[in-house]
Amino acid sequence: MPIKDVKNVRLTDVKLRDRPHLLLWDTANDLELRQLAYHENAECISYRTHLLSRINPQNRFLALHYQLDRELDAIKAICANTDKPVVLLQDLDCLITYLHVQPESPITLFWQNLFNTRHLESILWIILPSQLVPPDWDESRLQRI
């Protein structure tokens, strides 16, 4: 059931605090995102910006589909390198879309590995449009806005 107002979202009320959660939000805007981050004492981080800061501009190809472990490690590092108890990770849809269009797409492997990620140092909420949620994601680790 979708939550209508970001003031009613409770990101710290989760059973599994060391694992990733999905926040399905089709119409997120910057103001609401900042409001949610402030209200929940969260840090909002862009996966896209973080990726751009990690890549070597001399490389001609990203080939992220061969680097799934590296990308998952980067997500873990995002959670470790904050002083906030909650991380709102936005723009991961660019990686998911990239993986979907690859021949012999590793998207299922990515979702399995992300779902099974443990020992995150902050509560991780990945903001995604509802169209991108994997069908077998555990409902207890998911909220809709």
Side-chain angles (χ1 to χ4, degrees):
M1 172 155 79
I3 297 170
K4 302 289 187 210
D5 186 357
V6 295
K7 294 176 191 154
N8 296 325
V9 176
R10 300 290 177 256
L11 300 179
T12 55
D13 295 346
V14 293
K15 189 177 194 178
L16 303 171
R17 299 176 72 83
D18 71 332
R19 299 181 190 178
H21 298 77
L22 300 182
L23 184 60
L24 305 183
W25 196 351
D26 292 329
T27 59
N29 66 50
D30 285 340
L31 179 61
E32 290 174 318
L33 197 53
R34 284 194 312 268
Q35 181 183 28
L36 179 61
Y38 176 77
H39 185 261
E40 291 292 311
N41 193 23
E43 183 169 1
C44 192
I45 298 174
S46 167
Y47 169 82
R48 181 182 296 115
T49 302
H50 191 265
L51 174 64
L52 290 173
S53 72
R54 294 184 286 117
I55 62 173
N56 180 348
Q58 305 306 317
N59 292 350
R60 294 182 57 184
F61 304 103
L62 282 177
L64 296 174
H65 55 295
Y66 295 125
Q67 307 290 337
L68 291 181
D69 288 339
R70 181 188 70 192
E71 296 311 302
L72 291 167
D73 287 343
I75 292 170
K76 288 179 189 177
I78 287 170
C79 292
N81 295 330
T82 183
D83 58 350
K84 300 283 187 175
V86 177
V87 170
L88 296 170
L89 185 64
Q90 61 182 0
D91 302 328
L92 190 67
D93 53 327
C94 66
L95 174 62
I96 293 167
T97 303
Y98 170 87
L99 294 175
H100 269 292
V101 299
Q102 294 304 308
E104 299 180 27
S105 173
I107 191 67
T108 301
L109 178 63
F110 173 76
W111 281 122
Q112 288 172 347
N113 289 344
L114 182 64
F115 184 80
N116 292 320
T117 299
R118 305 281 191 273
H119 310 296
L120 296 173
E121 294 185 34
S122 297
I123 299 171
L124 173 63
W125 283 94
I126 300 169
I127 301 170
L128 289 175
S130 57
Q131 303 93 317
L132 295 182
V133 67
D136 56 348
W137 193 270
D138 183 357
E139 285 285 327
S140 70
R141 291 168 52 189
L142 188 138
Q143 280 195 54
R144 289 175 174 83
I145 294 182

